[in-house]
């Protein structure tokens, strides 16, 4: 059976990761959360007091970082390890969200991440979500989705997720953080968030999660079996 790569890009908190996870599981593909990679780099930079404006310090730090995705046997979900340490929970916290866009705009960081991501998708059978997957990482991906949703709806979803992790953040603060990240992600010079020309735009504001998954599964299966 033909194997494809699926690129899912879009704004923060549109439901990209949760959708991509299920689609990958249904197809027996690997799921790669590229946002987790930028978050783990941010965590390392914060912990090691790396100055975001010092290219030499950044280059040296990147050489010391090893990122790996390892499946958790209990929930079958892949979790990110930073130099051998499981940081999956830590990187979801608000203090990381507040700085990750700045780190993700650093050219050296992006080039390093994109090269790693391209290696992961070389043999196909990957569902990858992020901001530049359809444009920079896999410009030849067989299926590209660009997800959008109303910012208030995204913020409400994000607030609920944070609350489930015992972080209570006011809605206006979550909205501000999303808008700030959207702005930086869209306006940076290297790998800005853009809809790839041949991507399908999916507005998830008023559709259910199951509908979202069904739409992408339908497209993936028709690509695998019919094209
Ligand atoms: O998807 P996320 O919210 O976990 O992503 C965290 C940040 O990383 C987000 O602000 C943008 C950045 N990012 C990126 O620049 N490129 C990617 N491929 C994935 C994420």
């Amino acid at each position: 059976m033909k194997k494809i790569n699926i690129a899912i890009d879009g704004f923060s908190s549109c439901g990209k990761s949760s959708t991509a996870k299920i689609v990958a599981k249904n197809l027996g593909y690997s799921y790669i959360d590229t946002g987790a990679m930028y978050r783990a780099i941010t965590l390392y930079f914060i912990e090691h007091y790396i100055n975001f404006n010092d290219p030499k310090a950044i280059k040296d730090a990147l050489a010391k970082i090893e990122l790996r995705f390892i499946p958790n046997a209990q929930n079958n979900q892949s979790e990110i390890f930073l130099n051998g340490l499981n940081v999956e929970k830590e990187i979801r916290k608000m203090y990381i969200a507040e700085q990750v866009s700045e780190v993700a705009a650093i050219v050296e960081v992006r080039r390093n991440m994109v090269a790693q991501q391209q290696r992961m998708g070389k043999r196909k059978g990957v569902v990858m979500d992020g901001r530049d997957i359809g444009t920079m990482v896999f410009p030849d991906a067989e299926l590209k989705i660009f997800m959008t949703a109303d910012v208030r709806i995204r913020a409400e979803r994000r607030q609920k997720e944070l609350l489930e992790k015992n972080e209570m953040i006011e809605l206006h603060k979550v909205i501000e953080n999303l808008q700030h990240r959207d702005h930086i992600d869209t306006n940076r010079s290297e790998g800005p968030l853009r809809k790839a020309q041949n991507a399908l735009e999916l507005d998830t504001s008023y559709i259910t999660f199951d509908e979202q998954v069904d739409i992408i599964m339908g497209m993936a299966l028709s690509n695998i079996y019919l094209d």
Side-chain angles (χ1 to χ4, degrees):
M1 197 203 309
K2 174 182 151 192
K3 264 194 184 175
I4 65 170
N5 277 341
I6 303 178
I8 304 184
D9 290 304
F11 296 100
S12 300
S13 296
C14 284
K16 296 186 300 293
S17 325
S18 26
T19 311
K21 252 180 229 167
I22 301 283
V23 170
K25 186 167 169 258
N26 291 348
L27 294 171
Y29 282 13
S30 321
Y31 162 61
I32 294 158
D33 174 359
T34 63
M37 299 171 73
Y38 289 97
R39 286 170 180 267
I41 299 286
T42 305
L43 173 62
Y44 183 96
F45 283 7
I46 293 173
E47 286 196 332
H48 292 82
Y49 305 101
I50 304 297
N51 177 349
F52 298 172
N53 298 309
D54 180 347
K56 164 96 174 67
I58 287 167
K59 193 166 168 264
D60 291 347
L62 286 169
K64 291 187 193 138
I65 297 177
E66 189 216 25
L67 298 180
R68 287 182 70 187
F69 286 99
I70 299 181
N72 177 332
Q74 272 162 3
N75 57 17
N76 228 354
Q77 303 215 338
S78 85
E79 297 182 335
I80 192 158
F81 284 67
L82 168 64
N83 291 341
L85 192 73
N86 186 338
V87 293
E88 184 62 37
K89 281 212 180 85
E90 194 63 26
I91 60 161
R92 307 291 163 195
K93 294 190 176 162
M94 194 66 182
Y95 78 96
I96 299 288
E98 278 166 358
Q99 305 212 44
V100 63
S101 280
E102 271 80 8
V103 172
I106 300 169
V107 175
E108 293 82 0
V109 171
R110 296 208 74 76
R111 296 202 175 147
N112 188 299
M113 294 300 104
V114 169
Q116 290 193 38
Q117 292 152 8
Q118 287 173 333
R119 283 197 291 277
M120 294 175 189
K122 231 178 173 171
R123 284 184 288 153
K124 305 264 179 187
V126 157
V127 183
M128 196 174 271
D129 82 325
R131 305 292 186 290
D132 59 343
I133 312 305
T135 52
M136 300 290 287
V137 181
F138 300 139
D140 297 328
E142 288 79 359
L143 178 59
K144 299 180 186 178
I145 313 285
F146 190 81
M147 275 193 178
T148 62
D150 181 272
V151 72
R152 199 178 169 87
I153 293 174
R154 291 192 276 139
E156 283 166 358
R157 291 178 187 161
R158 183 81 193 109
Q159 189 190 39
K160 199 166 152 245
E161 274 170 23
L162 286 163
L163 204 57
E164 281 160 10
K165 290 169 191 155
N166 295 325
E167 271 201 272
M168 204 158 74
I169 315 276
E170 290 166 75
L171 193 64
H172 77 93
K173 284 212 176 116
V174 183
I175 292 178
E176 273 165 30
N177 174 254
L178 290 181
Q179 286 172 331
H180 174 69
R181 283 161 64 192
D182 290 349
H183 179 79
I184 297 183
D185 293 345
T186 314
N187 290 291
R188 66 178 169 235
S189 60
E190 181 90 2
L193 170 63
R194 293 264 183 285
K195 175 177 173 292
Q197 264 184 348
N198 52 352
L200 178 116
E201 189 162 334
L202 186 60
D203 185 334
T204 67
S205 307
Y206 302 107
I207 58 174
T208 65
F209 178 70
D210 288 347
E211 286 168 333
Q212 238 161 268
V213 172
D214 285 350
I215 292 170
I216 300 180
M217 278 305 294
M219 285 190 296
L221 292 174
S222 69
N223 193 295
I224 292 168
Y225 290 105
L226 303 178
D227 280 6

